[in-house]
Amino acid sequence: MSLPAMRILFLLLLLGLLPWDMAPAQAREATDAAADSSAVPTALERRLKAQGFELGTPAFIRIFKESATLELWLWRGGRYYRFKNYKICKWSGELGPKLAEGDRQSPEGVYFISGRDLVINSRWHRAMNLGFPNSRDRALGLTGGGILIHGKCSSTGCFSMTDPVVEEVYEIIAAALDAGQPRVTVNVFPFPLTRANLARHADDDWIDFWTGLKRGHDLFLRDGLPPRTYVCGGEYAFQSRTARRVPLGGNKVCTPLRKPAVSVAGANAKLPSRAQRAQTAEERAKVCDPKRTECRLLRDAIASNAPCPRKYARCRVRDIAVSKSIECPLKFPRCRKGRAPASPMVSKK
């Protein structure tokens, strides 16, 4: 059938002047093809299919700060398999967890993305909120919020991916949540927690924290399943999902890691007591454990009379050093040496 004749038939069908069952087969096939044009697989769907996945498959994310890598894992045949590694354009701070609002530090630990955490706007193009602070972070008094995986290439604590990259990650995560996955687990590590890497960082202040994360890191690689995650006395604890659920060593303060974050009963043992909070910074520094990072940083803050950068002026307020900006003297050399300003600067952050 010629093209002009097909056009006339389509017009007659559209106007209802020709019953559908009387239309020639060629016309019906051409119309069906036009109607199905939207069903043509996208490039992403073709790549997913080539690896045995599809949009809507449950997803899992691992982030490694040192290599600036986001790994996207998808469900197939009873476990997760890696679909693709994406380059993180920028994250901020240094290796180690986020401690306080305004420290411009990207967090580390176990976080979750749910449907309410998906954001589309002109500022970040596409964004997924990690839910910092989680219940473990809140139990330890860590502060902050609005930590995202987003587009563009700038960061004040977030993981920016550039617009084209985040668009693909967002599409896969949104499809998984729309298909019924309650939440997508995100594990953020400083680097792969192998014995060799931990030995390389053995003198780091955060080696104990990273060693605690290693069990969760290793269980996922062994099982292909994110382990059950708990908070026990302010620390992460993990159990394999292939094993029977058992009490964690009889520890009554262990609770599942949750989002939205809630306080963990009994975990406040790591936080200052009411009497300790009533002490001045100098008094706390005399009795604190010098093996703890917070203690060493508090003593650095007290020993220093140097001006910090303007936006970190609160680093010089000794009595709030523990609760808000304890990391300042370590992270910013200007907080540890030099002369104090004639009058303190005030920061609005």
Side-chain angles (χ1 to χ4, degrees), residues 71-211:
E71 295 181 354
L72 183 55
W73 296 66
L74 299 176
W75 182 266
R76 187 182 68 213
R79 59 168 294 158
Y80 285 94
Y81 292 89
R82 184 161 47 194
F83 168 61
K84 187 176 178 180
N85 287 359
Y86 297 89
K87 189 67 177 177
I88 296 172
C89 184
K90 191 169 185 180
W91 57 275
S92 61
E94 55 195 18
L95 299 183
K98 180 177 180 64
L99 299 178
E101 183 175 4
D103 64 3
R104 295 174 179 261
Q105 172 78 4
S106 298
E108 293 173 9
V110 181
Y111 300 96
F112 306 104
I113 298 171
S114 58
R116 67 185 179 184
D117 299 314
L118 302 180
V119 179
I120 298 179
N121 60 30
S122 58
R123 181 181 183 185
W124 303 123
H125 187 57
R126 302 286 188 274
M128 294 154 278
N129 193 324
L130 294 185
F132 177 93
N134 60 27
S135 54
R136 176 261 176 193
D137 301 329
R138 289 180 184 273
L140 295 180
L142 308 188
T143 59
I147 302 300
L148 312 172
I149 299 172
H150 62 68
K152 312 304 179 187
C153 189
S154 62
S155 172
T156 55
C158 300
F159 299 95
S160 59
M161 310 287 296
T162 74
D163 290 357
V165 173
V166 80
E167 192 167 303
E168 180 167 302
V169 176
Y170 182 99
E171 183 175 359
I172 293 173
I173 298 304
L177 294 171
D178 288 343
Q181 185 174 359
R183 60 185 187 178
V184 175
T185 302
V186 181
N187 287 354
V188 186
F189 300 118
F191 40 75
L193 297 179
T194 62
R195 291 181 180 179
N197 281 338
L198 290 174
R200 179 165 58 92
H201 291 274
D203 295 330
D204 196 287
D205 286 330
W206 299 112
I207 187 61
D208 291 341
F209 172 68
W210 295 334
T211 301

Side-chain angles (χ1 to χ4, degrees), residues 29-52:
E29 291 171 2
T31 305
D32 291 341
D36 292 341
S37 61
S38 61
V40 175
T42 64
L44 172 59
E45 289 172 328
R46 290 194 296 270
R47 286 190 284 114
L48 287 166
K49 185 176 181 180
Q51 296 188 41

Side-chain angles (χ1 to χ4, degrees), residues 191-264:
F191 40 75
L193 297 179
T194 62
R195 291 181 180 179
N197 281 338
L198 290 174
R200 179 165 58 92
H201 291 274
D203 295 330
D204 196 287
D205 286 330
W206 299 112
I207 187 61
D208 291 341
F209 172 68
W210 295 334
T211 301
L213 287 178
K214 178 175 170 56
R215 176 165 171 78
H217 172 280
D218 293 351
L219 283 174
F220 173 75
L221 291 180
R222 189 193 73 182
D223 300 338
L225 302 170
R228 301 184 188 105
T229 305
Y230 300 86
V231 180
C232 299
E235 301 294 339
Y236 286 113
F238 303 95
Q239 282 187 349
S240 171
R241 289 192 180 272
T242 63
R244 181 173 58 89
R245 190 189 299 265
V246 296
L248 293 177
N251 192 335
K252 296 182 180 180
V253 302
C254 293
T255 59
L257 185 66
R258 297 185 184 279
K259 181 183 177 182
V262 294
S263 297
V264 179

